[in-house]
mmCIF file of all heavy atoms in Angstrom:
data_model
loop_
_atom_site.group_PDB
_atom_site.id
_atom_site.type_symbol
_atom_site.label_atom_id
_atom_site.label_comp_id
_atom_site.label_asym_id
_atom_site.label_seq_id
_atom_site.Cartn_x
_atom_site.Cartn_y
_atom_site.Cartn_z
ATOM 1 N N SER A 67 10.201 27.635 5.195
ATOM 2 C CA SER A 67 9.923 27.629 3.766
ATOM 3 C C SER A 67 9.668 26.202 3.322
ATOM 4 O O SER A 67 10.096 25.246 3.995
ATOM 5 C CB SER A 67 11.075 28.242 2.955
ATOM 6 O OG SER A 67 12.257 27.491 3.122
ATOM 7 N N VAL A 68 8.936 26.054 2.234
ATOM 8 C CA VAL A 68 8.671 24.728 1.677
ATOM 9 C C VAL A 68 9.050 24.734 0.205
ATOM 10 O O VAL A 68 9.046 25.776 -0.455
ATOM 11 C CB VAL A 68 7.200 24.288 1.829
ATOM 12 C CG1 VAL A 68 6.868 23.980 3.285
ATOM 13 C CG2 VAL A 68 6.243 25.332 1.269
ATOM 14 N N GLU A 69 9.351 23.539 -0.257
ATOM 15 C CA GLU A 69 9.785 23.423 -1.644
ATOM 16 C C GLU A 69 9.477 22.024 -2.140
ATOM 17 O O GLU A 69 9.478 21.059 -1.372
ATOM 18 C CB GLU A 69 11.301 23.654 -1.710
ATOM 19 C CG GLU A 69 11.846 23.898 -3.092
ATOM 20 C CD GLU A 69 13.344 24.182 -3.072
ATOM 21 O OE1 GLU A 69 14.051 23.619 -2.216
ATOM 22 O OE2 GLU A 69 13.792 24.964 -3.920
ATOM 23 N N ARG A 70 9.170 21.948 -3.428
ATOM 24 C CA ARG A 70 9.054 20.652 -4.078
ATOM 25 C C ARG A 70 10.127 20.647 -5.165
ATOM 26 O O ARG A 70 9.865 21.003 -6.306
ATOM 27 C CB ARG A 70 7.660 20.473 -4.638
ATOM 28 C CG ARG A 70 7.358 19.088 -5.153
ATOM 29 C CD ARG A 70 5.874 18.806 -5.096
ATOM 30 N NE ARG A 70 5.472 17.691 -5.940
ATOM 31 C CZ ARG A 70 5.588 16.418 -5.594
ATOM 32 N NH1 ARG A 70 6.125 16.095 -4.439
ATOM 33 N NH2 ARG A 70 5.166 15.466 -6.402
ATOM 34 N N PRO A 71 11.340 20.260 -4.788
ATOM 35 C CA PRO A 71 12.479 20.444 -5.691
ATOM 36 C C PRO A 71 12.459 19.543 -6.921
ATOM 37 O O PRO A 71 13.109 19.845 -7.920
ATOM 38 C CB PRO A 71 13.681 20.110 -4.789
ATOM 39 C CG PRO A 71 13.131 19.221 -3.738
ATOM 40 C CD PRO A 71 11.731 19.678 -3.497
ATOM 41 N N ASP A 72 11.718 18.445 -6.828
ATOM 42 C CA ASP A 72 11.614 17.550 -7.975
ATOM 43 C C ASP A 72 10.224 16.927 -7.939
ATOM 44 O O ASP A 72 9.370 17.361 -7.160
ATOM 45 C CB ASP A 72 12.725 16.487 -7.925
ATOM 46 C CG ASP A 72 12.757 15.757 -6.591
ATOM 47 O OD1 ASP A 72 11.673 15.420 -6.072
ATOM 48 O OD2 ASP A 72 13.849 15.535 -6.055
ATOM 49 N N GLY A 73 10.000 15.918 -8.738
ATOM 50 C CA GLY A 73 8.661 15.352 -8.818
ATOM 51 C C GLY A 73 8.252 14.480 -7.661
ATOM 52 O O GLY A 73 7.109 14.037 -7.594
ATOM 53 N N SER A 74 9.185 14.238 -6.733
ATOM 54 C CA SER A 74 8.835 13.300 -5.672
ATOM 55 C C SER A 74 9.008 13.862 -4.269
ATOM 56 O O SER A 74 8.264 13.507 -3.375
ATOM 57 C CB SER A 74 9.654 12.012 -5.816
ATOM 58 O OG SER A 74 11.030 12.288 -5.729
ATOM 59 N N ASN A 75 9.964 14.750 -4.043
ATOM 60 C CA ASN A 75 10.229 15.217 -2.688
ATOM 61 C C ASN A 75 9.467 16.492 -2.355
ATOM 62 O O ASN A 75 9.163 17.309 -3.232
ATOM 63 C CB ASN A 75 11.728 15.485 -2.528
ATOM 64 C CG ASN A 75 12.530 14.202 -2.494
ATOM 65 O OD1 ASN A 75 12.546 13.496 -1.504
ATOM 66 N ND2 ASN A 75 13.169 13.893 -3.616
ATOM 67 N N PHE A 76 9.190 16.644 -1.074
ATOM 68 C CA PHE A 76 8.541 17.854 -0.548
ATOM 69 C C PHE A 76 9.280 18.175 0.745
ATOM 70 O O PHE A 76 9.362 17.341 1.638
ATOM 71 C CB PHE A 76 7.050 17.574 -0.300
ATOM 72 C CG PHE A 76 6.266 18.722 0.248
ATOM 73 C CD1 PHE A 76 6.319 19.976 -0.322
ATOM 74 C CD2 PHE A 76 5.432 18.536 1.341
ATOM 75 C CE1 PHE A 76 5.570 21.036 0.182
ATOM 76 C CE2 PHE A 76 4.679 19.584 1.860
ATOM 77 C CZ PHE A 76 4.747 20.826 1.282
ATOM 78 N N THR A 77 9.889 19.374 0.809
ATOM 79 C CA THR A 77 10.747 19.661 1.946
ATOM 80 C C THR A 77 10.235 20.839 2.761
ATOM 81 O O THR A 77 9.572 21.752 2.245
ATOM 82 C CB THR A 77 12.178 19.982 1.485
ATOM 83 O OG1 THR A 77 12.151 21.141 0.660
ATOM 84 C CG2 THR A 77 12.785 18.821 0.724
ATOM 85 N N LEU A 78 10.557 20.800 4.047
ATOM 86 C CA LEU A 78 10.304 21.910 4.969
ATOM 87 C C LEU A 78 11.655 22.358 5.495
ATOM 88 O O LEU A 78 12.399 21.558 6.057
ATOM 89 C CB LEU A 78 9.408 21.462 6.124
ATOM 90 C CG LEU A 78 9.183 22.488 7.235
ATOM 91 C CD1 LEU A 78 8.313 23.649 6.735
ATOM 92 C CD2 LEU A 78 8.517 21.838 8.458
ATOM 93 N N LYS A 79 11.972 23.642 5.300
ATOM 94 C CA LYS A 79 13.227 24.185 5.783
ATOM 95 C C LYS A 79 12.949 25.168 6.904
ATOM 96 O O LYS A 79 12.049 26.018 6.794
ATOM 97 C CB LYS A 79 13.980 24.915 4.662
ATOM 98 C CG LYS A 79 15.336 25.454 5.095
ATOM 99 C CD LYS A 79 15.938 26.428 4.083
ATOM 100 C CE LYS A 79 16.358 25.785 2.817
ATOM 101 N NZ LYS A 79 17.066 26.724 1.909
ATOM 102 N N ILE A 80 13.705 25.022 7.974
ATOM 103 C CA ILE A 80 13.669 26.015 9.050
ATOM 104 C C ILE A 80 15.039 26.675 9.042
ATOM 105 O O ILE A 80 16.059 26.016 9.260
ATOM 106 C CB ILE A 80 13.379 25.380 10.426
ATOM 107 C CG1 ILE A 80 12.132 24.487 10.354
ATOM 108 C CG2 ILE A 80 13.174 26.485 11.469
ATOM 109 C CD1 ILE A 80 11.840 23.727 11.640
ATOM 110 N N ARG A 81 15.053 27.970 8.795
ATOM 111 C CA ARG A 81 16.328 28.666 8.524
ATOM 112 C C ARG A 81 17.195 28.796 9.763
ATOM 113 O O ARG A 81 18.386 28.546 9.718
ATOM 114 C CB ARG A 81 16.049 30.055 7.956
ATOM 115 C CG ARG A 81 16.276 30.166 6.464
ATOM 116 C CD ARG A 81 15.974 31.553 5.965
ATOM 117 N NE ARG A 81 14.563 31.763 5.736
ATOM 118 C CZ ARG A 81 13.903 31.300 4.672
ATOM 119 N NH1 ARG A 81 14.516 30.611 3.757
ATOM 120 N NH2 ARG A 81 12.617 31.543 4.530
ATOM 121 N N SER A 82 16.649 29.196 10.840
ATOM 122 C CA SER A 82 17.403 29.423 12.071
ATOM 123 C C SER A 82 16.559 28.886 13.221
ATOM 124 O O SER A 82 15.661 29.565 13.728
ATOM 125 C CB SER A 82 17.682 30.921 12.249
ATOM 126 O OG SER A 82 18.371 31.168 13.456
ATOM 127 N N THR A 83 16.852 27.656 13.615
ATOM 128 C CA THR A 83 15.979 26.965 14.562
ATOM 129 C C THR A 83 16.017 27.610 15.947
ATOM 130 O O THR A 83 17.042 28.135 16.406
ATOM 131 C CB THR A 83 16.375 25.489 14.676
ATOM 132 O OG1 THR A 83 17.793 25.395 14.904
ATOM 133 C CG2 THR A 83 16.004 24.740 13.414
ATOM 134 N N LYS A 84 14.858 27.541 16.599
ATOM 135 C CA LYS A 84 14.727 28.011 17.979
ATOM 136 C C LYS A 84 14.374 26.819 18.860
ATOM 137 O O LYS A 84 13.927 25.778 18.359
ATOM 138 C CB LYS A 84 13.610 29.054 18.084
ATOM 139 C CG LYS A 84 13.695 30.224 17.130
ATOM 140 C CD LYS A 84 12.589 31.210 17.439
ATOM 141 C CE LYS A 84 12.358 32.214 16.339
ATOM 142 N NZ LYS A 84 11.714 31.671 15.160
ATOM 143 N N LEU A 85 14.555 26.975 20.149
ATOM 144 C CA LEU A 85 14.222 25.895 21.074
ATOM 145 C C LEU A 85 12.763 25.461 20.910
ATOM 146 O O LEU A 85 12.457 24.264 20.970
ATOM 147 C CB LEU A 85 14.474 26.323 22.516
ATOM 148 C CG LEU A 85 15.918 26.612 22.907
ATOM 149 C CD1 LEU A 85 15.988 27.124 24.339
ATOM 150 C CD2 LEU A 85 16.794 25.374 22.740
ATOM 151 N N GLU A 86 11.886 26.437 20.700
ATOM 152 C CA GLU A 86 10.456 26.144 20.603
ATOM 153 C C GLU A 86 10.064 25.468 19.288
ATOM 154 O O GLU A 86 8.895 25.106 19.101
ATOM 155 C CB GLU A 86 9.624 27.415 20.808
ATOM 156 C CG GLU A 86 9.977 28.562 19.902
ATOM 157 C CD GLU A 86 10.950 29.547 20.540
ATOM 158 O OE1 GLU A 86 11.859 29.106 21.291
ATOM 159 O OE2 GLU A 86 10.810 30.757 20.268
ATOM 160 N N ASP A 87 11.012 25.286 18.383
ATOM 161 C CA ASP A 87 10.726 24.523 17.163
ATOM 162 C C ASP A 87 10.799 23.015 17.411
ATOM 163 O O ASP A 87 10.456 22.214 16.526
ATOM 164 C CB ASP A 87 11.708 24.890 16.047
ATOM 165 C CG ASP A 87 11.543 26.322 15.567
ATOM 166 O OD1 ASP A 87 10.394 26.822 15.589
ATOM 167 O OD2 ASP A 87 12.561 26.938 15.197
ATOM 168 N N SER A 88 11.250 22.617 18.579
ATOM 169 C CA SER A 88 11.318 21.193 18.909
ATOM 170 C C SER A 88 9.909 20.606 18.892
ATOM 171 O O SER A 88 9.023 21.075 19.614
ATOM 172 C CB SER A 88 11.939 20.988 20.294
ATOM 173 O OG SER A 88 13.289 21.392 20.307
ATOM 174 N N ALA A 89 9.705 19.599 18.051
ATOM 175 C CA ALA A 89 8.379 19.021 17.867
ATOM 176 C C ALA A 89 8.494 17.853 16.910
ATOM 177 O O ALA A 89 9.547 17.610 16.323
ATOM 178 C CB ALA A 89 7.408 20.067 17.285
ATOM 179 N N MET A 90 7.379 17.128 16.751
ATOM 180 C CA MET A 90 7.244 16.161 15.661
ATOM 181 C C MET A 90 6.676 16.911 14.473
ATOM 182 O O MET A 90 5.698 17.653 14.612
ATOM 183 C CB MET A 90 6.295 15.035 16.055
ATOM 184 C CG MET A 90 6.895 13.971 16.915
ATOM 185 S SD MET A 90 8.073 12.935 16.049
ATOM 186 C CE MET A 90 6.977 11.889 15.104
ATOM 187 N N TYR A 91 7.263 16.727 13.331
ATOM 188 C CA TYR A 91 6.784 17.372 12.109
ATOM 189 C C TYR A 91 6.238 16.277 11.192
ATOM 190 O O TYR A 91 6.939 15.331 10.849
ATOM 191 C CB TYR A 91 7.902 18.148 11.424
ATOM 192 C CG TYR A 91 8.251 19.409 12.177
ATOM 193 C CD1 TYR A 91 9.080 19.368 13.300
ATOM 194 C CD2 TYR A 91 7.724 20.633 11.798
ATOM 195 C CE1 TYR A 91 9.368 20.517 14.014
ATOM 196 C CE2 TYR A 91 8.013 21.798 12.504
ATOM 197 C CZ TYR A 91 8.829 21.729 13.615
ATOM 198 O OH TYR A 91 9.120 22.870 14.329
#
Side-chain angles (χ1 to χ4, degrees):
Chain A
S67 62
V68 289
E69 194 177 33
R70 189 154 162 81
D72 53 42
S74 60
N75 288 284
F76 180 50
T77 62
L78 174 70
K79 183 193 291 186
I80 309 175
R81 256 180 278 283
S82 178
T83 50
K84 307 185 195 73
L85 295 176
E86 54 265 37
D87 294 328
S88 294
M90 280 289 283
Y91 287 80

